[in-house]
Amino acid sequence: MPRQAGHSAPSSGGFLARAAFLTALLTAVGALLGLVRDQTIAHLYGAGPDTDAFLVAWTVPEVAATLLIEDAMALILVPAFSLALARRAAGSAPPGQDPVRLLLRTTLPRLFLALSAGAALLIAAAPWVVAVLAPGLPEPGLAVDCTRLTATCALTFGMAGYCSAALRAHGSFVAPAVIYVVYNAGIIATMLAAGDRWGVRAAAAGVALGGVLMVLVQVPSLWRKLTERQRQSDSGAKATRSGPPVALALLAPVIVFALSRQSQVLIERFLAAPLPAGAISHLNYAQKVAQIPMTLSMMLCTVTFPVVARAMAAGETGRARRRVERDLALAGTVVLIGAATVIACAPQLIEVLFQRGAFDPADTAATASVMRVYALGLLGHTLVGALVRCYFSAARPLWFPALAMLTGLALTTGAGALLVRVWGVLGIAAANALGITLTAALMLHGVGRHSVPVALRAVTGGLLKLSSAAAAATGSGWLCAVLIPSPVLGTAAACAAVTAVFLVIARALGAPGTDTVLRALTRVLVRPLTRKLAHAR
């Protein structure tokens, strides 16, 4: 990873492209290991009551990941560290004081104590947590044991999120991208080593181990970043107590947004708990696979978040607007290609990934149906994740995204309670898609007035063109998957057909983002082939 010689993360196009590529590559490896993790769970425990009990306990690390790694911690600390780095470079701090060290001293100890107390409270209150999350669960005692093991993530994920935010603000993206690689590797290794003796509790113990590894893998990089530009002596003066660099007023809207977003999972499992055994597992497997395109599409936004934050802090709204519009177009392109592929060949994907051991064809059919419905909300999930970075790119409290998320959550809850009576588990997935799509529409409509002044009409028109291309591409992929008997070959053919048809139609419609994807595919696929042909000649 190239290093920047200044105070902030590099913002050149070449650096961002390389950073996004490495981040996407490592994220893809982490997602692949996540699939292996889910395959191992499906193989060892199937989709029965044991797996449901573990997945209820897994709610704790899922909420912790959203609150402490992916959303709240990053949205608060990346702008805070960016501002501290800018003050250090400008020399605006009093002599002998380093703004970055001041930020560390005023946030890290308090955060560590608060997270430790929260983890201890979760361990003690595990029976009540399970009773609230999944009333009527067939194996509540097993779920309590697993919850006590996974509750340690309240501490480890918080420390991992703190390290990730600090490193990204310093322009270092490799170590933060590795965290899910080591996390999933820890879970898989623990299940394989202790699964026979501990049963599904081994998976929960693996979650606890994986959380520790997420912290350890980032500490060396963070230590180097924090010390390489702090060699100057700070013994001349003690830090003044002028107040913490992170505005306390910013914490509430960010935390409300993050908790509201993650509450979708809590609502789903609450509604699915009374359904027949396996319903929670089908929801989980479907969601994990369906969200892979969304995760990949968000990588560029993760890398460019410090760039947008610095531009907004400097008052360069034009630069921030251009960056956000490009990010939305590219993220929409990637996620819609993935969503079209998921809908087109869902049964084949699930069969290839999970149908072995205790995971039977009935589980494959049920999971594939749920996954197709989930995929309808992938664009909404991606837009919410991309747009929220705009709202919190400046260090000032904004309640609009939290209110939009609460509105979508209300729709998810009401629609889920109604649709689950008619469609069962499919109704829960449909409610998820409806709620997140409403949230995305509200946030897109309000971003120009409350945050980055994007060209709303142009962005909306581009997303509609991309969605039209995705609808047509879905049909071509579905046809390939149906006509080819082999699930592996059918999936491969569907992926190729969806990508080709999508790009052709999107390019013909003049949709944004397609030229960037075409150039990337040309570099990856065409140029190596032409070099080989030239060498052969």
Side-chain angles (χ1 to χ4, degrees):
M1 172 65 62
R3 294 187 180 183
Q4 191 235 4
H7 67 277
S8 59
S11 58
S12 66
F15 176 88
L16 292 178
R18 290 190 296 272
F21 173 76
L22 287 174
T23 302
L25 180 63
L26 291 170
T27 301
V29 174
L32 179 62
L33 286 175
L35 282 177
V36 175
R37 173 204 67 204
D38 293 339
Q39 288 173 331
T40 306
I41 294 172
H43 179 74
L44 294 176
Y45 316 116
D50 285 2
T51 307
D52 285 355
F54 166 69
L55 291 176
V56 170
W58 205 352
T59 303
V60 175
E62 284 180 327
V63 172
T66 298
L67 184 62
L68 301 175
I69 299 177
E70 297 164 10
D71 281 344
M73 194 74 73
L75 294 173
I76 293 169
L77 289 177
V78 168
F81 271 104
S82 298
L83 181 59
L85 288 166
R87 288 175 175 171
R88 172 199 283 175
S92 59
Q97 294 184 31
D98 182 3
V100 177
R101 286 190 175 181
L102 176 61
L103 178 60
L104 286 168
R105 282 194 294 266
T106 54
T107 56
L108 186 56
R110 298 174 184 176
L111 181 67
F112 181 85
L113 292 175
L115 293 174
S116 299
L121 181 61
L122 279 173
I123 292 172
W128 293 275
V129 172
V130 171
V132 170
L133 290 178
L137 194 70
E139 297 287 346
L142 181 59
V144 169
D145 292 343
C146 292
T147 300
R148 284 180 169 143
L149 288 167
T150 60
T152 56
C153 292
L155 172 60
T156 56
F157 279 24
M159 293 296 99
Y162 191 98
C163 295
S164 296
L167 284 169
R168 286 168 179 161
H170 280 81
S172 179
F173 298 95
V174 173
V178 173
I179 60 175
Y180 287 110
V181 175
V182 298
Y183 171 65
N184 288 319
I187 297 174
I188 294 168
T190 306
M191 285 193 294
L192 294 179
D196 292 338
R197 298 190 302 275
W198 297 351
V200 78
R201 293 178 179 85
V207 171
L209 173 62
V212 175
L213 296 176
M214 293 169 88
V215 180
L216 295 180
V217 77
Q218 296 184 93
V219 168
S221 297
L222 182 59
W223 179 258
R224 287 194 300 270
K225 285 292 181 182
L226 293 176
T227 56
E228 66 184 6
R229 286 186 50 86
Q230 296 174 3
R231 308 272 182 208
Q232 66 271 28
S233 174
D234 61 348
S235 60
K238 295 183 179 180
T240 60
R241 302 188 62 83
S242 57
V246 179
L248 295 179
L250 182 62
L251 299 178
V254 175
I255 291 173
V256 170
F257 171 83
L259 288 177
S260 301
R261 188 179 182 187
Q262 188 57 38
S263 293
Q264 288 185 313
V265 177
L266 305 182
I267 291 169
E268 290 174 13
R269 291 180 181 170
F270 181 86
L271 294 174
L275 296 178
I280 295 177
S281 299
H282 297 149
L283 283 167
N284 173 75
Y285 291 129
Q287 190 178 61
K288 290 294 188 298
V289 177
Q291 286 186 348
I292 290 176
M294 180 197 73
T295 302
L296 295 177
S297 69
M298 287 301 301
M299 288 305 99
L300 181 62
C301 300
T302 299
V303 171
T304 59
F305 179 37
V307 178
V308 177
R310 288 195 304 275
M312 292 297 291
E316 300 174 355
T317 55
R319 185 161 68 97
R321 175 184 58 79
R322 290 189 294 273
R323 180 73 262 171
V324 169
E325 289 176 353
R326 287 195 294 266
D327 290 351
L328 290 175
L330 186 57
T333 299
V334 173
V335 76
L336 285 171
I337 291 175
T341 303
V342 165
I343 295 173
C345 53
Q348 292 82 2
L349 277 171
I350 297 300
E351 182 178 351
V352 170
L353 294 174
F354 297 117
Q355 189 174 308
R356 57 186 61 85
F359 198 95
D360 58 29
D363 293 323
T364 295
T367 304
S369 298
V370 175
M371 190 167 72
R372 278 176 163 156
V373 180
Y374 262 134
L376 299 176
L378 285 181
L379 179 61
H381 281 287
T382 297
L383 292 178
V384 169
L387 290 169
V388 73
R389 288 163 169 77
C390 302
Y391 284 97
F392 293 113
S393 58
R396 64 180 187 272
L398 290 173
W399 277 99
F400 186 83
L403 296 176
M405 194 69 239
L406 287 171
T407 303
L409 184 63
L411 178 59
T412 298
T413 305
L418 293 175
L419 295 178
V420 71
R421 302 175 183 176
V422 182
W423 295 338
V425 70
L426 295 180
I428 298 175
N432 177 289
L434 287 172
I436 199 64
T437 301
L438 175 61
T439 301
L442 293 173
M443 292 180 66
L444 183 60
H445 180 72
V447 69
R449 290 177 294 145
H450 299 281
S451 181
V452 181
V454 300
L456 180 60
R457 181 172 297 181
V459 171
T460 304
L463 291 173
L464 289 175
K465 292 176 181 178
L466 292 172
S467 299
S468 301
T474 301
S476 64
W478 177 83
L479 187 61
C480 291
V482 169
L483 294 179
I484 299 177
S486 169
V488 176
L489 296 179
T491 299
C495 291
V498 165
T499 304
V501 172
F502 178 93
L503 292 176
V504 168
I505 295 178
R507 183 74 181 274
L509 293 174
T514 54
D515 288 339
T516 303
V517 175
L518 285 171
R519 285 195 297 269
L521 290 175
T522 300
R523 286 195 296 268
V524 173
L525 300 177
V526 178
R527 288 185 182 177
L529 179 60
T530 56
R531 289 196 193 100
K532 289 180 181 179
L533 291 175
H535 180 71
R537 286 196 299 269

